[in-house]
Amino acid sequence: MGKVQFKRLPAFTLMELLVVLVIVGILILLALPNLMPLISKAKSTEAQLQLEHLFTLEKNYFYQYSKYSQSSDEVGFEQEKLTTAGGKANYRIDIVESSSTGFKARATSVVDFDGDGTFNIWEIDQEKNLKEVTKD
């Protein structure tokens, strides 16, 4: 019988892989604070889109009844389930003012995106003036 020879395959050792993972982890930790404003900005797109949708619904309601509604249900707006309740929405949408001449709606984040204790707030009015009231 012949002798069995094992060939050593070129590969990385466990120690080399662990060192690379530690270095990547450190780089991510260094870059994360710089990325937080971008993450917050991307999530605020949800608020802007929802407020623009509510604006359209309020305008349709105004054309039918010659006044703006105080109730989001009355105009047909359905709040998506919030992340705090197991859903996907990061913003609670509310109509804060309404009259026969105007309305104001507000999107308030239910999550503090960058952990500084400040929650992001956006508002829109009957003129479609969309503005960020409080930055996160």
Side-chain angles (χ1 to χ4, degrees):
M1 282 196 129
K3 226 177 175 183
V4 177
Q5 290 185 338
F6 291 102
K7 274 190 175 180
R8 190 167 187 124
L9 297 174
F12 296 108
T13 65
L14 180 61
M15 186 61 81
E16 291 170 330
L17 289 175
L18 288 174
V19 167
V20 168
L21 287 175
V22 167
I23 291 171
V24 168
I26 290 170
L27 290 174
I28 288 174
L29 287 175
L30 290 174
L32 194 58
N34 295 332
L35 294 176
M36 288 311 290
L38 294 174
I39 293 169
S40 179
K41 186 175 181 180
K43 291 192 182 223
S44 71
T45 303
E46 173 193 339
Q48 296 169 37
L49 290 173
Q50 291 297 318
L51 286 174
E52 287 176 358
H53 177 60
L54 183 58
F55 167 82
T56 303
L57 294 172
E58 279 281 7
K59 276 297 186 186
N60 290 339
Y61 186 87
F62 177 78
Y63 294 142
Q64 284 183 326
Y65 303 104
S66 298
K67 66 177 184 172
Y68 292 100
S69 174
Q70 180 67 35
S71 168
S72 57
D73 290 336
E74 201 169 39
V75 296
F77 181 80
E78 292 184 30
Q79 171 73 54
E80 190 175 333
K81 197 171 183 184
L82 299 171
T83 54
T84 53
K88 294 181 181 179
N90 292 305
Y91 287 86
R92 179 179 23 265
I93 311 297
D94 299 304
I95 300 171
V96 292
E97 295 174 18
S98 73
S99 67
S100 60
T101 58
F103 82 97
K104 184 185 290 184
R106 181 176 294 148
T108 308
S109 67
V110 294
V111 178
D112 183 11
F113 301 124
D114 58 6
D116 65 354
T118 305
F119 291 84
N120 192 228
I121 299 174
W122 285 82
E123 287 183 349
I124 196 167
D125 63 13
Q126 72 281 353
E127 300 297 324
K128 204 175 182 178
N129 296 321
L130 182 64
K131 64 182 176 183
E132 188 173 27
V133 177
T134 306
K135 292 185 181 226
D136 185 12

